[in-house]
Amino acid sequence: MRINSSRQIALILAMLGFLLSLATVYYLDQDNLTLLIAAPLFTAFLIYIFTAILIKRFIFDKIQVIYRIIYSKVDKQQRAQPVLNEVLLQAEKWASTRQAEIANLKQQAQYRREFVGNLAHELRTPLFSVQGYIDTLLEGGLEDPKINYDYLSRADKNLERLTVLVKDLSAIADIESNQENIEFAKLNIVSTVEEVFSLLELRAKKKNVKLKFSKNYDRPIMVMANKDKILQVISNLVMNAIHYSRKDGHCSIKLSDAPNHILVEVKDDGIGIAPEHLTRLFERFYRVDKSRSRNDGGTGLGLAIVKHLLESHGQTINVHSELGIGSTFSFTLPKA
């Protein structure tokens, strides 16, 4: 028999007490009908009342301990008279929440391990290269004019890569810790894009990638933003498009009018991104094509910086991509 409440326990004990009392009275004085009925009933009543009260008090005391374990503190409503079934539901809910938190912590721990591993790799590659070049020079190459200039130039390039990496890491750390005081002002997004095209023109020409607007914008389009940060956002997205575009491809930027925002879309006709990479695309050091990214001189932090800079503007970055067709990165900025 399944017992669901303290009252059921009390009732069972009362019935046993009634039968035991009835048998006792019947054995002592079976001729007294009043005593034969009244005594067992009175005994059963007392057993029922005291058992129900004691069990209820005992259970409630134990429940309060459970509640304190689950919630660390017990509020007035929980302290009143929590029902056992309610406690069970709350405990199951608490256990489910903790399991989800544990799974999330495990996932974060995995990301941290990957981050540390990727960071170590990014630092190790240029450092070992610099060390190799310097060792060669110290072992006699310094006396050869042809070798020393070439190796010093290579060492300088690797040190420059390290400088860029540390600078990008510092930028993300400053944004995450809210140490940067970002000031917003009216900004002509058209002229900002034109400035990015001018800065990256030579890089695009090396791959014969054409940088262009999707259409002509004859009038300024004003938004509220920090110019330096948005310039960095668009530069990173355009550089990303150049890296992954086909030779003789193009990167176009489209500005669309929304009710309270301007939608900025950076589109390329490159190799595209597989769906399984899209959810992790904005993680630090996450690369879709690791060897190609490193050969292009990327640090693997460009898209992570884009995400953080846009979040500091209260905006988000979205991506749509198809393999073999290209990718489109989009974000919004409030109108000025």
Side-chain angles (χ1 to χ4, degrees):
M1 180 176 62
R2 185 176 180 179
I3 298 175
N4 298 316
S5 67
S6 58
R7 290 183 178 181
Q8 190 173 353
I9 297 175
L11 183 60
I12 293 172
L13 293 177
M15 291 177 62
L16 292 175
F18 174 82
L19 294 176
L20 181 60
S21 177
L22 179 62
T24 302
V25 173
Y26 181 79
Y27 176 78
L28 295 176
D29 190 359
Q30 60 183 1
D31 296 331
N32 191 337
L33 186 60
T34 301
L35 183 62
L36 190 63
I37 296 175
L41 287 175
F42 182 72
T43 302
F45 175 75
L46 290 179
I47 292 175
Y48 177 82
I49 294 297
F50 284 106
T51 303
I53 292 174
L54 291 175
I55 291 178
K56 198 172 184 181
R57 173 55 59 187
F58 174 79
I59 291 176
F60 285 166
D61 289 342
K62 296 302 180 183
I63 287 175
Q64 298 305 324
V65 175
I66 297 174
Y67 264 60
R68 285 195 295 273
I69 294 173
I70 295 177
Y71 296 105
S72 298
K73 61 180 181 179
V74 183
D75 59 30
K76 292 181 179 179
Q77 183 178 358
Q78 293 168 342
R79 191 183 294 116
Q81 286 188 350
V83 181
L84 192 58
N85 290 335
E86 180 184 347
V87 174
L88 180 60
L89 292 175
Q90 292 288 348
E92 290 176 350
K93 181 180 178 181
W94 176 82
S96 177
T97 302
R98 293 298 176 272
Q99 288 175 355
E101 289 177 355
I102 291 171
N104 185 46
L105 289 173
K106 288 182 178 179
Q107 186 179 40
Q108 290 179 3
Q110 176 65 24
Y111 287 161
R112 282 194 294 272
R113 285 193 294 269
E114 291 181 6
F115 171 74
V116 172
N118 288 329
L119 178 58
H121 182 82
E122 295 293 337
L123 293 172
R124 182 175 63 246
T125 302
L127 282 173
F128 283 4
S129 298
V130 171
Q131 185 180 25
Y133 296 140
I134 293 176
D135 287 344
T136 302
L137 292 173
L138 292 175
E139 291 172 0
L142 192 61
E143 306 301 327
D144 189 335
K146 294 182 180 179
I147 293 180
N148 62 25
Y149 181 80
D150 181 41
Y151 276 35
L152 285 173
S153 297
R154 295 184 185 183
D156 180 66
K157 288 181 180 178
N158 280 277
L159 287 174
E160 183 179 353
R161 179 179 172 184
L162 277 175
T163 301
V164 173
L165 176 61
V166 172
K167 182 179 178 181
D168 286 348
L169 283 171
S170 178
I172 291 180
D174 288 343
I175 296 170
E176 287 185 336
S177 60
N178 296 319
Q179 290 183 1
E180 285 192 321
N181 185 19
I182 300 179
E183 297 181 357
F184 301 96
K186 290 184 178 181
L187 170 68
N188 182 4
I189 193 66
V190 176
S191 63
T192 303
V193 173
E194 291 173 343
E195 187 175 346
V196 171
F197 285 168
S198 177
L199 292 171
L200 300 177
E201 184 178 4
L202 291 178
R203 184 188 292 262
K205 281 184 176 180
K206 289 181 180 179
K207 288 194 63 175
N208 202 22
V209 174
K210 186 177 182 181
L211 306 179
K212 64 179 184 178
F213 281 106
S214 60
K215 67 176 185 178
N216 292 328
Y217 296 99
D218 300 326
R219 298 179 180 179
I221 300 177
M222 307 304 294
V223 297
M224 287 297 296
N226 180 282
K227 181 178 179 179
D228 292 337
K229 305 306 179 187
I230 296 304
L231 186 71
Q232 188 175 3
V233 166
I234 299 175
S235 296
N236 285 358
L237 292 177
V238 172
M239 282 193 293
N240 191 70
I242 294 172
H243 289 165
Y244 291 99
S245 287
R246 297 186 183 91
K247 191 175 181 180
D248 301 323
H250 73 272
C251 168
S252 64
I253 292 186
K254 182 179 181 180
L255 306 175
S256 303
D257 189 12
N260 299 311
H261 295 79
I262 297 297
L263 175 65
V264 183
E265 296 175 281
V266 181
K267 184 178 181 180
D268 66 67
D269 58 353
I271 59 177
I273 305 168
E276 61 267 22
H277 296 297
L278 294 179
T279 56
R280 301 190 60 186
L281 199 58
F282 298 97
E283 292 178 17
R284 305 173 196 179
F285 296 117
Y286 188 80
R287 300 177 188 268
V288 176
D289 186 345
K290 298 183 179 180
S291 60
R292 183 175 181 182
S293 297
R294 292 191 177 96
N295 291 335
D296 286 337
T299 62
L301 295 171
L303 292 179
I305 291 175
V306 166
K307 175 178 176 289
H308 283 82
L309 288 175
L310 288 174
E311 287 178 348
S312 70
H313 282 70
Q315 307 299 317
T316 57
I317 179 78
N318 299 294
V319 58
H320 173 74
S321 185
E322 295 184 44
L323 285 175
I325 296 178
S327 306
T328 300
F329 290 84
S330 61
F331 62 92
T332 59
L333 292 172
K335 291 180 180 178

